[in-house]
Amino acid sequence: MSGFGPTGDDNPFEGMPFLGDLGRMLGGMGGAGSGLQWDAARQMAMQVASGGESEPNIDPIARMDVEQLARVADLHIAQKTGLSTSMTGRGVQVVPVTRMQWVQRSLDAYKPLFESLASSLSAAPEAPSDPAEQGDPFAAMLTQIMGSMAPMMLGVTAGGMIGHLAQRSFGQYDLPIPRDPSDELLLVLPNVNAFADDWSIDRKDLLLWLSMHEIAHHAVLAVPHVRAALERGLREYAAGFRPDASGLSDKLGTVDMSDPQASMAELQDLFGDPEVVLGAIQTDAQRALLPRLEALIAMIEGYVDHVMDAVGTGLISSYGMITEAVRRRRVQADESDRFVARLFGLELGQATYDQGAAFIDGVVEREGFDALDALWKGESFLPTPAEIEAPGLWLARIEIDTE
């Protein structure tokens, strides 16, 4: 940051309380590099997930209940889908955990995506296309600041987001992000119990519903080409961001500096906004990738919902009530949930679920449930963005491919 101040000072924000501290902090980072500050992420996630309080251990009786219900769910999901529910061949297990235990596993699972994101945000931005912006020392200064801040701020932001997810998530597939191959699936028991109590739902019924949900997702993501396509899409999307100093510059220009006290408050709010500080903007490459990623996610969610409805209606007496409550909840996610989803290209709004349901229902109505088995033959059999909108197109293509 040397040379940007009016007198060539290393800290161009000297004399501005909040930004002066920011400048000194960045200077103290020295050669931190572009790597994600994962220790900061872990500390933040633990603090947010626990609320600063200790959690009681999982009741052994609850653990046994989940184990028994998971065996029932596993049997029915395997029979309906014809898919293996195990990635290792040792059999699937659903394990009730605390929020802190969920955080520990999820940090490791999400780390590769956040590292891709950190690298993309630390990359040099494209040169401004507007000649008026070229050579602008303020924009250059902000670009350097954002490149320096990105790893640290992303570490803190990632930890905060995962901590918030731990307070809300039921299991590990609330966001359909593949994890390292394992047949141990997590249910966040404090969140499950709180939701059951809030909606006056029988806890065992809800545990069976959620066990089916986790195992159905696990079975689909155990299909090698489905897992590979989703992992590749998420990783490429996260790696596609580029820092944009112009967005921060524009926002700084709206701050009224005539009132020092008010302006400092505005600046602190501004730099507290992760979307502003990280400077993440969607690139042309991401926009090109997104339709394919969205089509794949819609297919997965539509298939899981269809299987759940087919199995759960006759298995759980309160299935309709639970389904309505859970599906209403999942499209009313908090902003923290939506932000982490957007970072990875996962816009799980109602439109995504409706699109997936329409595709799966369209195939089943035309050719029966068994026609969906073609999805598991290879990556070329996965629906394209056009086909997810028109299942007849997909059926026409796979009939040619399978002759």
Side-chain angles (χ1 to χ4, degrees), residues 76-374:
H76 283 83
I77 294 298
Q79 287 180 340
K80 177 60 181 177
T81 64
L83 296 172
S84 171
T85 59
S86 171
M87 290 187 180
T88 66
R90 294 191 294 270
V92 69
Q93 291 182 304
V94 179
V95 180
V97 296
T98 65
R99 295 185 180 105
M100 296 282 278
Q101 290 170 328
W102 186 92
V103 161
Q104 292 170 345
R105 299 284 191 91
S106 299
L107 281 165
D108 293 336
Y110 294 171
K111 185 176 180 180
L113 290 176
F114 277 111
E115 287 181 332
S116 294
L117 182 58
S119 295
S120 70
L121 292 175
S122 299
E126 297 179 0
S129 57
D130 185 350
E133 297 180 9
Q134 297 177 7
D136 181 349
F138 187 58
M141 176 183 66
L142 288 176
T143 297
Q144 187 167 350
I145 290 171
M146 292 169 65
S148 300
M149 288 181 66
M152 180 197 64
M153 290 303 300
L154 183 57
V156 174
T157 302
M161 290 187 295
I162 293 174
H164 282 293
L165 286 174
Q167 293 182 328
R168 175 181 172 84
S169 293
F170 287 143
Q172 64 189 49
Y173 290 123
D174 288 52
L175 292 179
I177 297 176
R179 301 186 175 214
D180 288 340
S182 169
D183 287 322
E184 192 173 83
L185 309 181
L186 310 179
L187 282 185
V188 189
L189 199 61
N191 297 344
V192 174
N193 290 341
F195 184 78
D197 293 344
D198 289 344
W199 284 82
S200 300
I201 295 171
D202 182 84
R203 288 188 178 185
K204 288 188 177 181
D205 281 358
L206 180 58
L207 287 170
L208 179 55
W209 194 103
L210 292 170
S211 295
M212 291 168 50
H213 177 270
E214 295 298 298
I215 292 171
H217 274 91
H218 194 64
V220 172
L221 294 181
V223 178
H225 67 268
V226 176
R227 180 184 180 88
L230 183 54
E231 286 181 331
R232 184 173 62 251
L234 294 172
R235 187 171 58 251
E236 289 179 2
Y237 190 88
F241 286 107
R242 291 295 178 269
D244 175 30
S246 64
L248 180 55
S249 179
D250 291 344
K251 290 183 180 294
L252 284 172
T254 66
V255 177
D256 181 7
M257 302 301 292
S258 63
D259 183 342
Q261 184 173 358
S263 63
M264 286 301 104
E266 286 187 62
L267 286 170
Q268 293 196 52
D269 288 342
L270 183 64
F271 277 89
D273 182 343
E275 296 197 55
V276 172
V277 171
L278 297 180
I281 60 168
Q282 195 180 62
T283 60
D284 290 340
Q286 288 176 306
R287 282 186 282 271
L289 168 66
L290 201 53
R292 289 182 284 124
L293 183 56
E294 289 175 338
L296 177 59
I297 293 168
M299 181 278 290
I300 293 171
E301 295 304 318
Y303 182 85
V304 168
D305 280 355
H306 186 92
V307 169
M308 292 278 295
D309 289 345
V311 172
T313 302
L315 188 63
I316 304 173
S317 59
S318 58
Y319 178 81
M321 176 184 177
I322 297 174
T323 299
E324 173 64 22
V326 174
R327 291 180 182 174
R328 183 183 303 177
R329 175 183 182 271
R330 72 184 180 185
V331 297
Q332 296 175 341
D334 296 335
E335 281 305 309
S336 58
D337 299 349
R338 294 191 183 282
F339 182 68
V340 69
R342 288 201 305 273
L343 286 178
F344 301 143
L346 294 169
E347 282 286 0
L348 295 175
Q350 188 60 52
T352 301
Y353 294 107
D354 290 345
Q355 187 181 56
F359 172 78
I360 298 297
D361 291 346
V363 171
V364 173
E365 289 169 4
R366 289 170 173 82
E367 298 293 337
F369 182 78
D370 289 346
L372 295 170
D373 289 345

Side-chain angles (χ1 to χ4, degrees), residues 8-25:
D9 293 338
D10 287 341
N11 182 1
F13 298 129
E14 196 64 50
M16 300 177 67
F18 172 65
L19 297 182
D21 291 341
L22 176 63
R24 285 188 292 274
M25 176 185 67

Side-chain angles (χ1 to χ4, degrees), residues 386-397:
E387 290 166 350
I388 203 76
E389 296 282 358
L393 293 178
W394 180 76
L395 285 168
R397 178 170 67 83

